[in-house]
Amino acid sequence: MRFSHISLGVLALALATPASADPKPAGPVDPATAAGAPAAPAAADSGPTAPPPPFTINGSATLISDYRFRGISQTNLQPAIQGSITLTHASGFYASVWSSSTSGYVTQTGNGNQEIDLIAGYKKTTNGFTFDAGVLYYVYPQSRPSSDRSRSNFFEPYADVSYIVGPVTAKVTVNYAPKQKALALDQGQSGLFKSNDNVYLAGDLSASIPNTPIGLTAHVGHTWGPSWLALGKEYTDYGFGATYTYKQLVFGLNYVDTNGVFTLANGKNAARSGIVASVGVSF
């Protein structure tokens, strides 16, 4: 999730990737929920029901009109195909793989067209709060760095806490990418690259309208550099949207904007405001 991106980001099913700046793709189902899925009813005189399975697997596939990461288009303002699969243990530990088509400018070498996010983390709910922390590793398999300083892959630890009040969920997320070569910034177009770290802080609200299949989302985030992820120094992204769920399908419509500028080769601003539509399926 680089631009030339971590977005999360984020990402993922329906609006999860473009709407929020959560750098993680659509993450694992809450282990308590996933592991505790209702079993088939037993006969009245049968023994205790079987314990929930220790592992659960969930996945998603999404078609989206523009892959936005922290408000920045990763596909030259064009559509993308995305997918994810997550393995969750009943203890709360999980591992996930998420992938999206991208455009060549995403990497510093400018020739990658795929992003793969490898994720490992731990999620726990207690006293109404859900804590989630882990590490993201962004991989651009088709990027061919011409030198060490142009390396595209990088990692980013993350942590977030969320709280549910009725139909509303509030979440605060922080991502910190330590100094590494993939985040290096050209000092004044001099050809001298300096490694930098990057911080991303975001707040998200989501709500379901009772007795309807409609959900609402709102997001604001800020990126601090200086690094490749921060458009030089820093910028803010924000957005709001809605989802409609029909069986396994989720339809999304989201408004995304930033106060930054990232000019593409065709002269368009990849950080400009836009409407992002998506349709996804979970399994």
Side-chain angles (χ1 to χ4, degrees):
M1 294 181 179
R2 286 253 327 275
F3 44 83
S4 211
H5 116 62
I6 172 276
S7 231
L8 206 283
V10 304
L11 150 276
L13 180 62
L15 290 177
T17 299
S20 75
D22 185 346
K24 303 188 298 301
V29 175
D30 186 333
T33 302
D45 58 350
S46 65
T49 58
F55 290 97
T56 56
I57 298 178
N58 302 94
S60 69
T62 303
L63 294 176
I64 196 163
S65 64
D66 185 7
Y67 168 24
R68 296 283 185 121
F69 175 70
R70 297 175 186 172
I72 312 296
S73 175
Q74 307 297 290
T75 51
N76 283 317
L77 305 173
Q78 298 299 311
I81 301 175
Q82 303 172 341
S84 72
I85 187 166
T86 299
L87 175 67
T88 304
H89 188 263
S91 65
F93 288 99
Y94 61 87
S96 184
V97 178
W98 182 91
S99 183
S100 176
S101 56
T102 63
S103 296
Y105 77 91
V106 170
T107 65
Q108 292 190 43
T109 51
N111 59 359
N113 57 23
Q114 183 185 18
E115 174 189 330
I116 299 175
D117 298 349
L118 307 178
I119 309 154
Y122 177 78
K123 187 174 183 179
K124 184 70 174 180
T125 299
T126 179
N127 297 324
F129 290 90
T130 297
F131 302 90
D132 188 2
V135 177
L136 271 155
Y137 185 57
Y138 301 93
V139 180
Y140 301 90
Q142 295 177 325
S143 178
R144 295 291 183 267
S146 58
S147 66
D148 201 31
R149 73 185 182 192
S150 299
R151 184 175 300 160
S152 297
N153 301 345
F154 68 100
F155 71 96
E156 184 181 58
Y158 62 86
D160 65 60
V161 57
S162 60
Y163 187 73
I164 299 176
V165 180
V168 179
T169 299
K171 183 171 71 170
V172 176
T173 303
V174 61
N175 291 62
Y176 175 70
K179 291 182 179 181
Q180 46 200 303
K181 294 171 183 177
L183 305 184
L185 195 66
D186 190 346
Q187 305 299 297
Q189 304 298 318
S190 63
L192 299 175
F193 285 74
K194 180 182 178 181
S195 295
N196 294 287
D197 57 1
N198 193 85
V199 177
Y200 183 70
L201 180 65
D204 291 272
L205 289 175
S206 60
S208 59
I209 299 178
N211 303 316
T212 75
I214 298 173
L216 303 175
T217 63
H219 162 82
V220 62
H222 193 83
T223 303
W224 286 270
S227 78
W228 195 249
L229 289 177
L231 294 179
K233 294 185 69 175
E234 60 181 286
Y235 77 99
T236 300
D237 69 281
Y238 50 93
F240 55 87
T243 60
Y244 180 88
T245 302
Y246 177 74
K247 297 183 179 181
Q248 263 80 29
L249 293 176
V250 179
F251 301 88
L253 199 63
N254 195 51
Y255 173 82
V256 183
D257 200 358
T258 80
N259 66 349
V261 175
F262 185 82
T263 305
L264 302 172
N266 59 11
K268 294 182 179 180
N269 178 17
R272 73 185 188 186
S273 62
I275 300 296
V276 177
S278 60
V279 57
V281 60
S282 60
F283 51 88

